[in-house]
Amino acid sequence: MTRVRLTVAERRGDLLRAAIEQIEARGVAAVRIADVASALGVSNALVLYHFSTKEQLVAAAFRHAAEGDLAHLRKLLGRRSTALRRLRSAVRWYAPTGQAKGWRLWIEGWAAALRDPTLREVAQDLDRQWKAALAEVITEGVAAGEFRCPDPQGTALRLTALLDGLAVQLTSYAGAVPRARAQEWVEEALVRELDLVEEERLMP
């Protein structure tokens, strides 16, 4: 059988995706270079050729995941629609009750970042970009007269904090918060933060 020779970028992409899967399954502390190599049927040496240490591999894996999340966020916020619809779409996707995946990965990353400066930098960069994107679309909505919000940056921070906190509850403590109730809380936060009128509360 003819073996397909991957480019350096393709091989790195495979390794990063495998690392993300292994981190989600085993946790940052327990995952090993050997686990990633075994998942792809390659040697430890090949993994170490691309990432000289486990720490470098883990940090690169989180950055890869962050870039994927941010790309999808920008796609949602870049649609031709009202600012309110775009904001709702992004929040519902990101919420732990939506279609966003990888919450276990990010909870692992937050914990590991307490002791790993490189991981902390990745997590903080994602957090800054996420808040900035939300604040930007909120500012657009205010300028268009869609809703009222005197502090878009503060609103973006509070919404993100709520979503992150709910993610920890739903991911780490099964049954702690019913998903339907969590969805209600997120919607109530949007209504409160944007001072929405009654008909806007019912928008899809």
Side-chain angles (χ1 to χ4, degrees):
M1 184 175 68
T2 304
R3 297 185 64 182
V4 177
R5 188 176 183 85
L6 300 179
T7 66
V8 171
E10 289 171 337
R11 175 61 76 189
R12 282 178 64 89
D14 282 351
L15 291 171
L16 292 173
R17 285 186 289 273
I20 289 169
E21 291 175 359
Q22 291 300 311
I23 292 168
E24 288 182 319
R26 302 170 186 273
V28 173
V31 74
R32 304 170 302 163
I33 290 290
D35 297 322
V36 177
S38 177
L40 292 176
V42 300
S43 67
N44 290 3
L46 179 64
V47 180
L48 290 169
Y49 173 78
H50 290 276
F51 306 96
S52 58
T53 65
K54 170 190 163 178
E55 289 72 23
Q56 287 187 12
L57 173 61
V58 168
F62 274 99
R63 187 168 293 282
H64 183 76
E67 289 170 352
D69 285 351
L70 287 168
H72 190 75
L73 173 65
R74 293 189 181 105
K75 181 179 178 181
L76 292 174
L77 295 180
R79 290 175 175 173
R80 293 186 176 181
S81 185
T82 65
L84 180 57
R85 287 184 182 275
R86 285 180 284 140
L87 180 61
R88 265 204 172 104
S89 179
V91 167
R92 288 173 177 172
W93 166 73
Y94 183 82
T97 57
Q99 296 179 351
K101 298 180 180 179
W103 275 112
R104 186 175 298 276
L105 174 74
W106 284 109
I107 291 171
E108 282 283 346
W110 293 335
L114 293 173
R115 297 175 179 82
D116 186 329
T118 303
L119 265 185
R120 185 160 57 249
E121 181 181 340
V122 172
Q124 287 179 330
D125 186 47
L126 173 63
D127 187 62
R128 281 193 297 267
Q129 292 192 60
W130 168 260
K131 288 185 176 74
L134 287 189
E136 182 178 351
V137 75
I138 292 169
T139 300
E140 289 177 18
V142 171
E146 294 182 34
F147 44 73
R148 293 174 291 278
C149 179
D151 182 13
Q153 287 76 23
T155 288
L157 189 154
R158 287 187 292 273
L159 287 174
T160 302
L162 172 63
L163 295 170
D164 290 347
L166 286 173
V168 172
Q169 291 292 318
L170 289 167
T171 304
S172 302
Y173 312 117
V177 180
R179 288 185 175 274
R181 188 66 183 119
Q183 288 175 330
E184 291 175 5
W185 286 341
V186 172
E187 181 61 26
E188 288 169 3
L190 276 174
V191 168
R192 182 173 58 253
E193 290 286 350
L194 304 181
D195 194 21
L196 298 179
V197 297
E198 188 61 35
E199 57 267 25
E200 291 169 327
R201 297 171 186 240
L202 304 177
M203 286 179 59

